[in-house]
Amino acid sequence: MTAPHLRLAQDPHDRVAVHRKDDAWLAERWADEDTRVLVVSGTRVRPADGRVAWVPPSQAPDGLRVLLGEREGRAWFAVVTGPEEAKGDASWLPLRGLLPSLSDDNLAVAPLVLHALGLAEWHFATRFCPRCGGRLEATAAGHELVCTQCGKSQFPRSDPAVIMVVTSGEPGAEDERCLLGRQAMWPEGRYSTLAGFCEPGETLEDAVRREVAEETGVVVGEVEYFSSQPWPLPASLMVGFVARATSTEITVDEVEIEDARWFTRAEMREQATSGELVLPGGVSISRSLIEHWYGGTLPGQW
C-alpha cells in the first residue's frame, strides 16, 4: 500500500541549484514563455477553478523571483510579492487551505508549491540579520539572504519535527493497540498521532521518547523510522516513526494534549465508520502512519 502522504512528493522537480547564481541562465529561462510562474502574495496563493494557477512570465507581477527548478522540460519560478494584494481577499489561500487543490490530477505540481510556499514563508519571517540587525538582501534566486551590513548569509531552515504512531501489544495481534491524542481546540472526535519538535543535542529517536512521555506519560522503547514529509506550516520537516510502548498507563499533560486513548484495529474501524472517531486527512503523514499500523484504508478524515 502506497503511503498517502507520499502523493505530495511523488514527482519531485530538479532544483537545478547550480543555476541559482547564473544570471544569464535565469534571464534566458525567464524570457521563455513556456516557463511557468506561481504568484505568491506574502505566503498565500490564489487558485483558479479549484487548481493552482501558473502563469507565463509575461503575466507575472513584479516581486522577488524565486527559481524552483525544472520539470517536464521547462523552468518553474515563483514571484513573491508583499501581502497587501491578498489582504482581505478570501480567494487567496494559505497552504493548509490550498491542500484540496493539490489532490488528484493536480498532485504533479505539489512539490513545486511546497517549495515555493516554504521559501515565501522564510522570506516573510526573516527580515533582519540575527547577528547585527542589518537589512537582508535576497540572492541565489531567492535561496539565500545576505546582510548588507555585516555580510553574514542566511539560508532557509527546516525545523525537524517527529511524528509517531505508538503501539502496544504483539505486532499484528487482534488486541494490539495504537495510541492517538487530541488537542483541546480540535472539534469533538478528532484524534491524531503524537508529534513534537526535536530539541538541540537530541536524536530524533530520543525526541520521540521524550514527546510521548511528556504528552501522555507513556514510556517508549524501540523506535523505528517510517518516512518523512516536508510540511512548510511554516517550516517543518515531519519525520515519521513507529514506536513501541513499554508502558500503557496514560497521564496527559493537559497543555498540548487534552485526551489520549488506545485503539484496537476493530475499535478504530468501528468508530471511524460511525464518525465517532475523525482521523487526519489523506495527504498527511499522520494518516499514513495510522493506516500503516492498521494495515489498510480507513473511512473519514478531517
Side-chain angles (χ1 to χ4, degrees), residues 126-207:
T126 311
R127 306 295 182 89
F128 302 99
C129 176
R131 172 184 283 177
C132 72
R135 182 176 62 85
L136 295 172
E137 186 173 272
T139 185
H143 289 76
E144 182 180 348
L145 292 170
V146 179
C147 179
T148 57
Q149 188 164 301
C150 73
K152 181 175 176 60
S153 292
Q154 304 295 320
F155 298 93
R157 295 289 189 268
S158 292
D159 298 323
V162 293
I163 184 166
M164 45 278 179
V165 60
V166 182
T167 69
S168 174
E170 184 67 24
E174 186 176 339
D175 60 351
E176 185 190 15
R177 301 180 296 173
C178 88
L179 180 66
L180 302 180
R182 59 170 279 106
Q183 298 180 11
M185 68 180 69
W186 291 354
E188 190 66 29
R190 179 181 293 186
Y191 282 78
S192 185
T193 49
L194 304 179
F197 286 101
C198 185
E199 295 187 349
E202 184 177 48
T203 67
L204 294 170
E205 291 82 358
D206 283 339

Side-chain angles (χ1 to χ4, degrees), residues 181-191 215 250-260:
R182 59 170 279 106
Q183 298 180 11
M185 68 180 69
W186 291 354
E188 190 66 29
R190 179 181 293 186
Y191 282 78
E215 294 182 354
I250 296 173
T251 306
V252 295
D253 63 3
E254 297 184 359
V255 177
E256 295 188 50
I257 299 296
E258 176 196 54
D259 184 40

Side-chain angles (χ1 to χ4, degrees), residues 35 40 71 110 115 119 121 152 165 174 212 223 254 279 293:
T35 291
V40 184
R71 185 179 176 279
H115 186 177
L119 283 173
E121 178 65 40
K152 181 175 176 60
V165 60
E174 186 176 339
V212 175
V223 175
E254 297 184 359
L279 296 170
W293 171 80

